[in-house]
Amino acid sequence: MSGVSRRSMVGLGAGALLAGGLAATQGGSGPAAAGAFGTAGDGANPADLTYDFRGEHQAGIVTETQESLHLVALDVVTTDADALRDLLTAWTDAAERMTQGSEAVAGGVDGGGPYGVPKDTGEALDLAPHGLTITIGYGPDLFDDRFGLADRRPSGLRDLPPFAGDRLDPRRSGGDLCIQACANDPQVAVHAVRNLVRMGFGVVQVRWSQLGFGRTSATSTSQPTPRNLFGFKDGTANLKAEDPAALAEHVWIDPADLRSATARWAGGTYQVVRRIRMRIEIWDRTNLQEQELVFGRTKREGAPLGQAREFDAPDFHATALDGAAHIDARSHVRLAHADHLGGIKILRRGYNFTDGSDDLGHLDAGLLFIAFCRDAHGQFVPMQRALARADRLNEYIEHTGSAIFLCPPGLRGGEDWGRQLFG
Amino acid sequence: MPLLPARRVTPRRLASRRLASRRLAVVATATMAGAALLSACSTSSADPNPAPSASGTTAGPTQSAQARKATSTYQRYVKAEAAALVTGTEQFVAAVKAGDTSRAKALYPTARSHFERIEPVAASFGDLDPRIDGREDGLEEGETFGGYHRLEKDLWRTGLTAESSRVADQLLADVELLAKEAQGATFQPIDLANGSKALLDEMASGKVTGEEERYSHTDLYDFAANLDGCTTALAALTPMITASDPTLAATIADRQKALEKVLAQHRTGRDGWQSYTALTDRDVKELSAALDAYSEAAAQAAAAVA
Ligand code: HEM
C-alpha cells in the first residue's frame, strides 16, 4: 500500500461503493456504460483498477477521469477500405487486452524469439493497468468518398465553424480518427497509443498527438475536483456519471437523433477537442480579485462568488453592497452556464498539458479541452460562441487546435470496431 | 552518415577500429588470413542483432542452397556497386581537383549513390564509413573533417580550396580500399536482413528529414539509393521469406511498391531527383508514412530467415 496517495484511495473507495450502489438501484435496466465505475483488484491496490472494455457506451467518457492522457489524431493513408477495417478489428483486440492489463498481443514482448521484432514494446510490462481506457472516435473526413462510408455519416458530424479569436494550427487540428488513452499512470497511456499507432503503419499516420499530465475535470461525484493551470478548481459544475438522466439528455446520441442509415451510432457521442494555450506568465502577475472575477468563482474554495462552498449554486442576480453583481456578466461561469444558454450542458473531461517552453522562455502550456455531447453543433458551438464573444478569460487564453470526432457506442461481446463501422 | 555517430563509439567498435587499422597493412594481399581476421571482428550469427558483416567463408555456418543463392546474388550486387563507386568517385574527384565546381556538383549525388546502396557493408569495415561519409557534427575532438560531406560543404558553401584537392585524394584512396574489402566480403542471410533494416533506419533518421545533405539538399538521391540497397537485399531473400511466411513476403512487396510510387512523384528527368528544399511538408509526411509502413514489414524479415 505504500506510495499510494490518500487522494486516490479516497476516490477509489467511494467509487467502489458507488458501483455497488448503482448495481443495486439499476436492477435490470440493461448494461451500464462500459467502465463508468471500475473494478479494483483483489488486494484493492488502486494500480490494479480496470474498467470494462465492453458495454453500452465506450469507456473513457463518463469514466472517473484518470490522471493522465495521451490523445492521438490520425489520418488514413490508404484508400483500401479492407485494410482500414482489418486495422480497426485488430485495434479492438489489442485495446481490450491492454485495458485489462495484458500485452497488446499475446506473448508480444518476447514470444517471437531472439530474431523476432517484439510485437509489444514492453514499457508497460511490469505496470498494473492503472485504470486504462481506450476510446476511439471518427472525424468527418473519414466519411468522405474514400471508403464508401458517406451514407453512414451522422448529420452532427461536421467540422466546427471558426470562432472569434481562434488561432488554430492545422498541424494540431482535425484528423480522420482519434484514439484517447487515459490512465492513472502516464506510461500506461503512452504505451497504449504507441502500440496502436505501430499496428497502423501503412494504413494510418499520426496527424498530431497531445499528452495531458493532470485531469482538469471531475466526471464523478466521488472524485475530488482537480485544478487547472490557472490554479482554479475545474469540473465543479460538470455532468457526472451518477446522473444517467442528464447524460441521456446531454451526452449520448439518441436513436431519435439519427436517420435509419446512421442508426448504428445511437449510444455514441461527439467528442470536441480544443488545444487551448494558457498565457501562464501573464496570468501569474494578475491579482487575485481579477482572477476570481474572470471565472466568477473563488480561488481557494471554488465557490461561486457570493456563496461560501464549492457546490453551492451560483446566484447570478445576487449583488454586493455596491450594487454590482457578485458574478460578473462577462465571467466564464456565467457565460457558460446552462441558464444563459437555453439549458445547454456538456460533459467536460480535459487535461492540463505542457509542451515545455517556447522561444521566449514562456511555458507552452494550457488545457487540452475535451468535451462530449449529444450534438456538438447544438451544444458546444453556441457555448463556445458565447465565450468567444465576451469571456474575460479570452485575454489569457488562445485556442490553437481543434477537432471533432464521433465516438461510436460501446461494443458488445463479439463485436469489433471494424464490423461496427463497416458491417 | 555513418550508422554509428563517431562520438558514440562503443567498446566493440573501438576494438574493430584498431583491428581495421592493423589490417590495412596486410589487406592488399587479401589473403585467407586477412579474411579470417576480418571475421574475427564481426559478430557471430547467434547475436540477435549482428551488424551486417563481412565474414570469412571458412568461418560461417554452412548455408542451404536457398541461402547460398540469396547471399551470392547480394554479393554480386555489392561488388558491382563498389566498383561503380570507384568509377564515379574518380570522375567526381577529377572535377574537384580541376576546380570545375558545376561539374563536381552534378557528379556528387550520383557518385555517392553507389556508396549509399551498400552503406551497411561499408560500415563493417572499421572506420571507412565515417571517413567516406562522416558528417562534421559526428567528429570527435581532434578528428579532421574529410570525405564526401566535407567536399559537399566546400562545393556548396565555402568554395573549393587547395585543401579540397587533398581531401578528394584521400576520399578516392578510401573508396578504393572499400572496393577491395568488398571483393572479399561474404554474407549470411541474416546479414542481408539486418542490412536492409539498417538502410531503412538511415532513411528514416537522416534522409527523409533532410539532415544528410545539409548543403546540397540531394537527400532524395540518397533516399533512392538506400531504398535500392534495401530492396535488393530483400529481393534476394524473398524465396526464403516466402517459404517461412508468405503473408509477410506479400506485405513487403506491396509496401515496397507503394513507397516506390510515392518516391517516383519526385523524379526529375530520367535519373534525377528533386531537391529536398522543393518538397512540401505534405510531401515529406507522405514519404515518411510510406517508409514507416515498409520498414515495419521489412523489420520482420530477419526473424523469417533466421
Ligand atoms: C483554458 C480554457 C478554460 C479554462 C481555464 C476553464 C476553466 C473553468 C473553470 C475554472 C470553471 C469553474 C469550475 C467548474 O464549474 O468546473 C469552468 C466552468 C465551465 N467551463 Fe470552462 N474553462 C476553459 C474553457 C472552456 C471552454 C472552451 C468551454 C466550452 C466551450 C468551457 C465550458 C465551461 C462550462 C460549461 C463550465 C461550467 C459553468 C457552470 O455551469 O457553472 N470552458 N471552466
Side-chain angles (χ1 to χ4, degrees):
Chain A
M1 272 292 147
S2 62
V4 172
S5 81
R6 213 182 128 257
R7 190 166 106 168
S8 54
M9 284 296 295
V10 169
L12 200 91
L17 262 179
L18 238 152
L22 266 192
T25 51
Q26 264 181 353
S29 70
F37 305 100
T39 315
D42 298 339
N45 180 346
D48 293 335
L49 178 71
T50 57
Y51 292 102
D52 287 345
F53 179 72
R54 293 172 188 274
E56 189 181 357
H57 309 291
Q58 286 194 74
I61 298 169
V62 299
T63 307
E64 295 172 89
T65 313
Q66 300 96 321
E67 294 298 330
S68 307
L69 161 98
H70 190 182
L71 182 140
V72 62
L74 308 112
D75 286 330
V76 184
V77 293
T78 177
T79 48
D80 180 353
D82 290 341
L84 176 59
R85 181 195 168 122
D86 291 348
L87 175 64
L88 289 170
T89 300
W91 269 355
T92 310
D93 188 47
E96 179 162 24
R97 292 180 52 86
M98 290 190 284
T99 57
Q100 305 310 305
S102 306
E103 295 155 275
V105 178
V109 170
D110 53 6
Y115 295 100
V117 179
K119 292 205 189 308
D120 182 294
T121 54
E123 73 274 26
L125 195 55
D126 310 313
L127 298 175
H130 286 279
L132 174 69
T133 57
I134 295 171
T135 313
I136 198 162
Y138 304 130
D141 290 347
L142 192 69
F143 297 86
D144 61 17
D145 53 9
R146 283 174 295 170
F147 311 107
L149 294 171
D151 62 344
R152 296 189 186 178
R153 184 181 60 79
S155 55
L157 185 62
R158 309 189 300 279
D159 284 331
L160 297 171
F163 298 100
D166 276 1
R167 292 262 316 258
L168 301 183
D169 179 349
R171 289 169 309 176
R172 297 186 195 277
S173 299
D176 288 337
L177 296 162
C178 177
I179 296 170
Q180 171 195 283
C182 299
N184 292 316
D185 181 299
Q187 187 145 322
V188 169
V190 171
H191 169 265
V193 164
R194 175 177 171 192
N195 280 270
L196 294 174
V197 165
R198 191 177 170 219
M199 292 170 69
F201 285 124
V203 182
V204 292
Q205 181 178 33
V206 172
R207 188 178 170 98
W208 55 274
S209 86
Q210 184 72 56
L211 290 176
F213 68 83
R215 64 188 172 93
T216 61
S217 204
T219 47
S220 163
T221 51
S222 70
Q223 291 190 290
T225 313
R227 289 180 189 267
N228 60 38
L229 292 181
F230 283 166
F232 275 71
K233 287 189 184 172
D234 202 338
T236 306
N238 199 13
L239 293 173
K240 302 273 161 86
E242 290 80 4
D243 189 353
L247 296 176
E249 187 184 346
H250 300 289
V251 176
W252 307 123
I253 300 172
D254 191 86
D257 303 345
L258 300 161
R259 293 171 291 121
S260 61
T262 59
R264 70 187 69 210
W265 306 125
T269 182
Y270 295 99
Q271 179 184 36
V272 173
V273 184
R274 305 280 289 183
R275 182 185 188 273
I276 307 176
R277 168 113 190 239
M278 290 163 50
R279 300 192 176 114
I280 302 288
E281 290 77 9
I282 297 177
W283 178 262
D284 291 349
R285 51 181 90 103
T286 302
N287 72 37
L288 180 64
Q289 186 181 28
E290 158 79 2
Q291 291 189 2
E292 295 188 334
L293 178 73
V294 164
F295 284 112
R297 285 183 177 267
T298 61
K299 194 158 190 180
R300 178 174 291 277
E301 170 65 22
L305 294 183
Q307 314 292 325
R309 313 292 311 175
E310 180 188 352
F311 291 100
D312 288 349
D315 180 347
F316 297 108
H317 306 290
T319 50
L321 291 176
D322 62 2
H326 278 299
I327 301 181
D328 184 77
R330 289 177 50 223
S331 69
H332 184 69
V333 298
R334 188 191 181 284
L335 291 166
H337 194 78
D339 285 0
H340 306 110
L341 291 169
I344 289 168
K345 291 184 182 177
I346 59 175
L347 177 76
R348 288 174 288 135
R349 204 175 188 285
Y351 282 85
N352 294 322
F353 73 81
T354 172
D355 290 342
S357 303
D358 67 14
D359 294 345
L360 305 176
H362 297 150
L363 264 188
D364 182 2
L367 176 72
L368 190 73
F369 174 91
I370 299 175
F372 294 98
C373 38
R374 176 175 164 184
D375 174 10
H377 288 267
Q379 295 167 253
F380 172 80
V381 169
M383 186 181 284
Q384 176 54 24
R385 279 220 173 98
L387 293 175
R389 199 177 299 132
D391 195 353
R392 286 185 179 275
L393 184 59
N394 293 340
E395 211 176 307
Y396 305 97
I397 63 172
E398 185 175 74
H399 288 237
T400 57
S402 177
I404 178 172
F405 303 101
L406 163 73
C407 295
L411 296 170
R412 294 164 201 267
E415 290 181 338
D416 67 68
W417 287 324
R419 277 202 284 174
Q420 187 187 42
L421 178 62
F422 285 98
Chain B
M1 187 168 179
L3 296 170
L4 292 171
R7 56 181 125 72
R8 271 194 277 129
V9 176
T10 58
R12 198 185 88 209
R13 170 121 192 172
L14 277 176
S16 75
R17 270 192 176 195
R18 233 174 286 125
L19 208 48
S21 49
R22 213 167 351 120
R23 182 158 38 81
L24 297 183
V26 296
V27 79
T29 54
T31 58
M32 206 44 140
L37 186 60
L38 198 55
S39 82
C41 75
S42 75
T43 50
S44 91
S45 64
D47 182 341
N49 266 318
S53 58
S55 46
T57 36
T58 50
T62 47
Q63 297 184 349
S64 69
Q66 224 175 23
R68 264 202 310 279
K69 186 147 186 284
T71 53
S72 64
T73 306
Y74 185 66
Q75 222 168 332
R76 279 199 299 281
Y77 175 74
V78 170
K79 285 183 190 173
E81 286 303 320
L85 174 64
V86 173
T87 319
T89 307
E90 277 168 358
Q91 292 166 356
F92 171 66
V93 162
V96 167
K97 293 180 73 174
D100 189 344
T101 303
S102 67
R103 183 169 157 76
K105 279 181 168 179
L107 291 171
Y108 171 84
T110 47
R112 49 177 277 104
S113 284
H114 301 292
F115 179 85
E116 293 290 331
R117 287 191 184 137
I118 57 170
E119 178 160 7
V121 179
S124 69
F125 298 124
D127 58 357
L128 275 178
D129 180 19
R131 265 162 44 194
I132 294 170
D133 194 36
R135 289 277 306 271
E136 193 167 14
D137 47 18
L139 296 180
E140 277 177 80
E141 220 177 295
E143 288 182 338
T144 49
F145 182 32
Y148 264 112
H149 287 302
R150 163 61 193 271
L151 294 172
E152 179 203 3
K153 187 178 181 184
D154 289 357
L155 285 167
W156 272 273
R157 178 63 60 91
T158 31
L160 293 176
T161 63
E163 181 62 17
S164 309
S165 291
R166 270 201 298 280
V167 170
D169 283 336
Q170 183 61 50
L171 171 64
L172 186 56
D174 288 342
V175 159
E176 282 169 345
L177 190 57
L178 170 64
K180 234 176 249 159
E181 297 268 25
Q183 295 308 309
T186 62
F187 307 93
Q188 297 296 330
I190 189 85
D191 297 330
L192 274 58
N194 287 324
S196 64
K197 170 151 192 314
L199 284 167
L200 291 165
D201 295 348
E202 270 284 285
M203 290 158 77
S205 59
K207 313 296 157 57
V208 83
T209 54
E211 274 166 41
E212 175 91 6
E213 305 290 354
R214 188 173 300 180
Y215 307 108
S216 64
H217 306 300
T218 53
D219 304 85
L220 284 190
Y221 286 82
D222 299 353
F223 189 101
N226 286 161
L227 181 59
D228 189 75
C230 174
T231 56
T232 303
L234 289 181
L237 293 175
T238 300
M240 294 181 75
I241 301 172
T242 308
S244 73
D245 189 346
T247 323
L248 176 64
T251 308
I252 292 176
D254 285 351
R255 293 184 175 183
Q256 177 190 330
K257 259 187 241 126
L259 175 56
E260 286 169 345
K261 203 170 136 197
V262 173
L263 180 63
Q265 299 169 49
H266 305 295
R267 269 233 174 269
T268 54
R270 222 170 52 82
D271 49 9
W273 297 100
Q274 265 181 335
S275 165
Y276 188 83
T277 52
L279 301 181
T280 64
D281 288 352
R282 217 193 150 89
D283 292 335
V284 172
K285 249 193 130 171
E286 192 188 20
L287 268 175
S288 175
L291 176 61
D292 276 339
Y294 179 53
S295 305
E296 199 67 24
Q300 325 266 333
V305 303

